[in-house]
Amino acid sequence: MTVQIGGLSLVVGAEPARDRAGLTELLAAATSEVLVMSTGADSAFQRIALANVRPGVRYKVLFPDSARMSAALNRMSRAGAEVRTDAEVPMDALVIDRTSVVLPDGRQTGSAVFRLPGVVTATVGLFERIWQAAAPLVPLDLAEPEDASMLTCRERELLTLLFSGTTDESAAARLGISVRTVRRMVADIMNRLGARSRFQAGAKAVDRGWLMAKAG
């Protein structure tokens, strides 16, 4: 059930299932675009939003870097959503067709829907500021979920360049990505390999057969 109070709507129900159904209805009504901001905390609100990715509606999704290698983001990106990650995402929110903002109401099932222009403008502005600086997650760069510990083709190419002495700036130019993205990818690789330095990451990758050691 939706209760309308001026520019604010509360999607509520006697049971959590009805609250979830209300949010699903809102997302099903989207005609052009859904913006998703997530702090990374698992919730019914987040799962419902991500389960509704579908052709014909552009999904732009922001998650924190800590979720970058998750299977959920992998599946979402492959389903057609544009996914980016940043060091921190400050709030959970949905923006539907740039006319409505949906916020969780604290119960993890119910939602508050704002159609006030000021709220929509502020939320979209926050999203776009983070989006511009965030690192894209490209489906072709992702490992399959069962091979999440392996290097992707782009990561292998990046690590090979850096291991051979190429600078971050030169590697970014070669790969067509930003220096910031290069550094974030390196941090991801080091974390997965349990490496404390770039050199150690390269050595561990060679030990696992992911890279060929340099001759000489």
Side-chain angles (χ1 to χ4, degrees):
M1 178 177 67
T2 301
V3 179
Q4 184 74 34
I5 308 172
L8 168 66
S9 300
L10 295 177
V11 182
V12 297
E15 301 174 1
R18 292 185 182 178
D19 289 337
R20 292 193 289 271
L23 181 52
T24 299
E25 280 184 24
L26 287 170
L27 290 165
T31 59
S32 60
E33 180 186 66
V34 175
L35 308 180
V36 181
M37 277 195 292
S38 174
T39 59
D42 186 36
S43 67
F45 176 85
Q46 171 184 302
R47 291 193 296 274
I48 292 166
L50 304 184
N52 279 274
V53 177
R54 68 185 192 278
V57 177
R58 184 184 188 188
Y59 265 73
K60 295 171 69 175
V61 181
L62 275 173
F63 264 73
D65 289 339
S66 58
R68 189 171 180 84
M69 298 308 299
S70 71
L73 289 191
N74 189 325
R75 288 192 299 270
M76 195 185 321
S77 187
R78 291 182 184 278
E82 298 173 49
V83 182
R84 295 188 182 187
T85 66
D86 201 20
E88 183 179 2
V89 178
M91 63 186 290
D92 293 298
L94 308 177
V95 183
I96 299 174
D97 292 334
R98 303 206 175 203
T99 59
S100 303
V101 172
V102 186
L103 303 175
D105 69 357
R107 295 180 298 144
Q108 293 193 338
T109 52
S111 307
V113 183
F114 296 84
R115 296 185 175 89
L116 300 168
V119 175
V120 174
T121 299
T123 307
V124 170
L126 174 62
F127 181 96
E128 293 295 354
R129 284 196 298 275
I130 300 173
W131 183 262
Q132 290 302 317
L137 195 67
V138 182
L140 292 177
D141 292 341
L142 293 173
E144 295 293 339
E146 61 269 20
D147 295 326
S149 63
M150 296 289 288
L151 292 182
T152 66
C153 291
R154 178 171 288 186
E155 288 171 335
R156 187 178 293 109
E157 186 177 358
L158 170 61
L159 197 53
T160 299
L161 288 171
L162 298 179
F163 195 47
S164 67
T166 305
T167 65
D168 288 358
E169 290 75 14
S170 295
R174 287 276 298 274
L175 297 175
I177 58 180
S178 69
V179 174
R180 178 172 179 172
T181 299
V182 164
R183 291 170 181 165
R184 184 168 292 140
M185 288 172 65
V186 171
D188 286 342
I189 294 168
M190 289 175 61
N191 182 60
R192 273 180 283 156
L193 289 170
R196 297 182 180 179
S197 68
R198 293 185 177 194
F199 180 83
Q200 187 180 37
K204 284 177 174 280
V206 170
D207 287 343
R208 296 189 186 192
W210 296 352
L211 293 178
M212 294 297 292
K214 284 183 65 181

